[in-house]
């Protein structure tokens, strides 16, 4: 095997680099490398027919809906996605305002405009605000265990439940109100599951929870769709860099591969695609989602990954958060309504009863966001649902989902004649073959160190061997995992690593 980046090259020729995956991490790495003269031999192998990965905007209902990433979290100067979006002119005036960039949300989801209970009555927004203050205060406390050598309990969920039990001792209301408070808290737990991309907060590790860094700025959206950002990055790449419909089967590394068109030259890596095509390379940047890595761990790398990297991939959490869009002919909500909360009165975060998914999957739905009105008379709600219930929802037909949610909306609004939505669109990230979920979280039994281990290039001994396999993607960013800005920064990080190797 050739060692050292430069010796493997004929004079005046740059290294061959392959990027596996055309999401924002892969596109970010490719854009960075294309701007450097050494990297003229670059390909991005994308498994599907489109770039963007988990950024996916679709034209539907007469407008654009985000099937994947929805908001820029913390849109301010410290966020590279915000800076790029501003540079490309993709954001509205409000999002760009200094005032918007200074707002500190603490990473918490804002209060609903209206809260419906499952018995068909409206819940007092004062009570909702009181429970949100309690819950958000407790979430803030969970971020303070960062330096703790050991935490009891081990999970965010168990800590929250312990604290809620303590608070309940001072509640003086009647039993009905106490039960309603618990039901509101259960909704807030479900919201947090969507934020963390997990089935239950009991699966999220307490000690490292505070490592996730919340940037200032009021979360904002792209008026014309998030995919405008990845489209702009892609448009800046040389024409032949992107190769679509090219799923990778196996990355052979630590080898000595040859190619007829480059006699006398050896390459340490060979990327074998599902269609039989093989691409020799000096460096491969792997940006596939953690969910895909978990599923294909045994076959995706040859030789297999080192044990500590395998352990990291197994231990880091990767869950599902899906959206369900419902289109109505006429809105049943008020003109200024932005966010509808749904509270199931028979639920409590302190009870672990797992109802049959078939009968109660929709109880995990946290509510609906009202999308800005589209060009034609189209009024759209976007519901969020995480965890096993979300994965079960993917197995149902559109008709089943529409029927269930029509029943839910009729029940919670107390209007049995509420017109049914006229159409439904939903994401199915768990069953998407090249994604297998939504995004990562630090699971009980893992820590930020595992994300760092996942990010380490191979070979890991680093004894003069060139950087053969590099890793990027949101799950490799210790402070910004689960975000598009974490993914973008990780792509830049690996591109910079290669630039440093070739331009010391």
């Amino acid at each position: 095997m050739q060692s050292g980046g430069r010796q493997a090259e004929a004079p005046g020729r740059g290294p061959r680099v392959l990027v596996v995956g055309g999401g924002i991490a892969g596109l970010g790495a490719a854009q960075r490398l294309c701007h450097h003269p050494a990297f003229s031999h670059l390909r991005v192998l994308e498994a599907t027919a489109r770039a963007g990965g988990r950024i996916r905007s679709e034209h539907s209902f007469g407008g654009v809906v985000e099937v994947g990433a929805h908001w820029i979290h913390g849109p301010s100067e410290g966020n590279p996605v915000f800076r790029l979006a501003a540079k490309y002119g993709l954001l509205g005036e409000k999002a760009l305002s200094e005032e918007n960039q200074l707002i500190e949300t603490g990473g918490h989801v804002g209060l609903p405009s209206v809260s419906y209970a499952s018995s068909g009555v409206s819940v007092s927004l004062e009570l909702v605000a009181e429970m949100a203050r309690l819950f958000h205060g407790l979430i803030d406390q969970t971020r303070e265990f960062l330096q703790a050598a050991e935490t009891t309990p081990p999970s965010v969920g168990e800590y929250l439940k312990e604290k809620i039990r303590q608070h309940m001792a001072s509640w003086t209301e009647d039993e009905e109100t106490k039960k309603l408070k618990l039901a509101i808290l259960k909704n807030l737990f479900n919201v947090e599951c969507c934020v963390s991309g997990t089935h239950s907060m009991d699966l999220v590790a307490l000690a490292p929870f505070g490592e996730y860094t919340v940037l200032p700025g009021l979360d904002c959206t792209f008026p014309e769709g998030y995919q405008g950002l990845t489209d702009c990055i892609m448009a800046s790449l040389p024409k032949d860099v992107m190769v679509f419909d090219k799923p990778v089967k196996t990355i052979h590394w630590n080898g000595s591969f040859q190619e007829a068109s480059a006699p006398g030259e050896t390459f340490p890596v060979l990327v074998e695609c599902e269609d039989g095509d093989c691409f020799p390379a000096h460096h491969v940047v792997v940006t596939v989602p953690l969910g895909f890595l978990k599923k294909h761990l045994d076959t995706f790398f040859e030789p297999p990954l080192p044990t500590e990297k395998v352990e990291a991939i197994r231990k880091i959490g990767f869950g599902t958060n899906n959206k369900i869009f419902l289109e109505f002919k006429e809105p049943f909500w008020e003109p200024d309504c932005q966010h509808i909360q749904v509270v199931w009165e028979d639920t409590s975060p302190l009870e672990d009863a797992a109802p049959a998914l078939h009968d109660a999957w929709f109880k995990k739905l946290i509510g609906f966001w009202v999308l800005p009105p589209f060009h034609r008379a189209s009024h759209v709600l976007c519901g969020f649902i995480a965890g096993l219930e979300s994965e079960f929802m993917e197995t149902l037909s559109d008709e089943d989902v529409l029927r269930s949610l029509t029943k839910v909306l009729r029940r919670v609004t107390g209007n049995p004649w509420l017109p049914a939505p006229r159409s439904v669109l939903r994401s199915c990230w768990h069953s998407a073959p090249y994604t297998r979920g939504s995004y990562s979280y630090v699971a009980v039994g893992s820590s930020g160190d595992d994300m760092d281990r996942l990010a380490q290039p191979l070979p890991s001994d680093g004894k003069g061997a060139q950087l053969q396999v590099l890793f990027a993607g949101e799950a490799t960013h210790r402070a910004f995992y689960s975000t598009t800005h974490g993914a973008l920064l990780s792509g830049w990080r690996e591109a910079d690593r290669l630039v440093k190797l070739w331009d010391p």
Side-chain angles (χ1 to χ4, degrees):
M1 190 194 107
Q2 296 278 1
S3 68
R6 293 181 181 281
Q7 299 91 305
E9 285 300 334
R13 297 259 320 277
R16 287 202 201 180
V17 181
L18 290 172
V19 176
V20 179
I24 196 168
L27 292 172
Q31 187 182 47
R32 197 86 148 202
L33 291 171
C34 282
H35 288 154
H36 193 281
F39 298 97
S40 55
H41 301 277
L42 175 71
R43 290 281 178 283
V44 178
L45 304 181
E46 165 53 44
T48 70
R50 51 169 287 279
R54 286 167 273 173
I55 293 174
R56 185 172 156 196
S57 310
E58 281 193 12
H59 288 272
S60 200
F61 316 120
V64 174
V65 297
E66 304 292 12
V67 176
H70 200 100
W71 288 279
I72 300 180
H73 294 297
S76 49
E77 276 307 303
N79 186 324
V81 166
F82 173 74
R83 291 200 309 271
L84 260 191
K87 176 183 142 186
Y88 288 132
L90 302 173
L91 299 177
E93 217 171 289
K94 184 171 181 278
L96 293 167
S97 71
E98 198 162 319
E99 180 191 2
N100 219 65
Q101 294 178 48
L102 295 173
I103 293 173
E104 294 280 358
T105 64
H108 305 309
V109 174
L111 294 173
S113 314
V114 61
S115 178
Y116 289 123
S118 48
S119 61
V121 298
S122 290
V123 182
S124 144
L125 289 180
E126 286 75 25
L127 197 62
V128 171
E130 184 193 331
M131 289 302 97
R133 274 194 304 274
L134 167 61
F135 186 79
H136 293 158
L138 294 177
I139 284 283
D140 291 344
Q141 285 178 29
T142 63
R143 299 194 176 281
E144 291 164 15
F145 286 90
L146 207 42
Q147 305 310 321
E150 224 173 89
T151 58
T152 310
S155 77
V156 171
E158 289 162 283
Y159 176 83
L160 293 172
K161 287 186 277 191
E162 205 175 274
K163 290 293 174 189
I164 286 166
R165 283 191 189 94
Q166 291 169 17
H167 276 270
M168 280 175 68
S170 63
W171 290 356
T172 54
E173 301 90 346
D174 58 86
E175 285 308 306
E176 282 306 300
T177 308
K178 286 180 184 174
K179 280 183 74 176
L180 185 56
K181 279 182 158 185
L182 286 171
I184 296 167
L185 285 168
K186 177 63 175 175
N187 174 277
L188 293 166
F189 268 73
N190 290 344
V191 169
E192 205 60 37
C193 286
C194 288
V195 171
S196 287
T198 183
H199 171 62
S200 163
M201 295 310 290
D202 292 356
L203 301 174
V204 180
L206 179 58
F209 194 58
E211 279 200 280
Y212 176 86
T213 304
V214 177
L215 296 172
L218 186 64
D219 291 0
C220 70
T221 57
F222 288 76
E224 301 299 319
Y226 221 127
Q227 212 174 300
L229 180 65
T230 46
D231 288 348
C232 283
I233 299 175
M234 196 168 64
S236 75
L237 302 176
K239 283 283 174 281
D240 57 348
V241 166
M242 295 294 303
V243 186
F244 292 105
D245 295 311
K246 212 70 174 163
V248 169
K249 182 183 179 186
T250 306
I251 295 168
H252 303 269
W253 60 288
N254 235 3
S256 186
F257 302 100
Q258 294 184 322
E259 188 183 47
S261 66
E265 195 170 354
T266 58
F267 302 88
V269 192
L270 182 76
V271 174
E272 180 191 353
C273 296
E274 292 282 0
D275 63 6
D277 280 358
C278 288
F279 297 85
H282 297 104
H283 313 288
V284 175
V285 185
V286 177
T287 73
V288 300
L290 177 62
F292 178 88
L293 278 184
K294 283 177 179 284
K295 182 141 181 81
H296 299 279
L297 201 46
D298 297 340
T299 56
F300 202 61
F301 296 95
E302 180 56 46
L305 294 176
T307 311
E308 60 173 24
K309 201 178 273 284
V310 168
E311 283 303 299
I313 290 167
R314 290 205 171 115
K315 288 197 292 192
I316 302 167
F318 193 81
T320 304
N321 179 21
N322 274 316
K323 301 179 192 179
I324 307 172
F325 298 94
L326 300 175
E327 182 201 20
F328 295 83
K329 194 175 179 187
E330 297 294 336
F332 62 82
W333 52 92
E334 296 296 320
D336 59 349
C337 180
Q338 291 182 320
H339 169 194
I340 299 166
Q341 181 184 49
V342 177
V343 174
W344 291 89
E345 287 150 301
D346 56 346
T347 61
S348 159
L350 307 178
E351 286 165 24
D352 288 334
L357 286 174
H358 201 276
D359 305 321
W361 65 268
F362 43 79
K363 289 189 179 182
K364 194 73 168 280
L365 191 84
I366 60 174
F368 299 91
W369 271 254
V370 180
L371 297 192
F374 291 150
H375 307 303
R376 63 184 175 88
S378 181
H379 305 276
V380 181
L381 295 180
C382 173
F384 286 80
I385 182 168
L388 297 176
E389 293 85 352
S390 182
E391 292 169 14
F392 175 76
M393 179 276 296
E394 295 186 24
T395 68
L396 301 172
S397 68
D398 280 357
E399 292 72 29
D400 285 338
V401 172
L402 200 60
R403 201 177 305 120
S404 290
L405 294 190
T406 300
K407 274 187 195 165
V408 167
L409 287 170
R410 285 173 177 169
R411 179 174 171 177
V412 302
T413 57
N415 177 3
W417 297 281
L418 188 80
R422 60 183 180 187
S423 65
V424 63
L425 172 75
R426 60 207 160 112
S427 62
C428 292
W429 288 109
H430 178 68
S431 44
Y434 302 110
T435 319
R436 307 297 304 172
S438 298
Y439 38 81
S440 62
Y441 61 94
V442 184
V444 171
S446 72
S447 72
D449 291 346
D450 289 308
M451 292 182 157
D452 285 347
R453 283 186 196 105
L454 181 53
Q456 278 305 306
L458 295 173
S460 44
D461 59 14
K463 288 178 185 159
Q466 67 182 49
L467 299 164
Q468 294 178 24
V469 187
L470 303 92
F471 293 82
E474 52 83 16
T476 69
H477 198 292
R478 189 168 182 149
F480 294 139
Y481 56 86
S482 81
T483 66
T484 51
H485 53 277
L488 179 61
L489 284 169
S490 74
W492 287 353
R493 178 192 69 213
E494 297 312 309
D496 290 345
R497 210 190 288 267
L498 287 177
V499 167
K500 198 173 165 193
L501 180 75
W502 286 89
D503 193 10

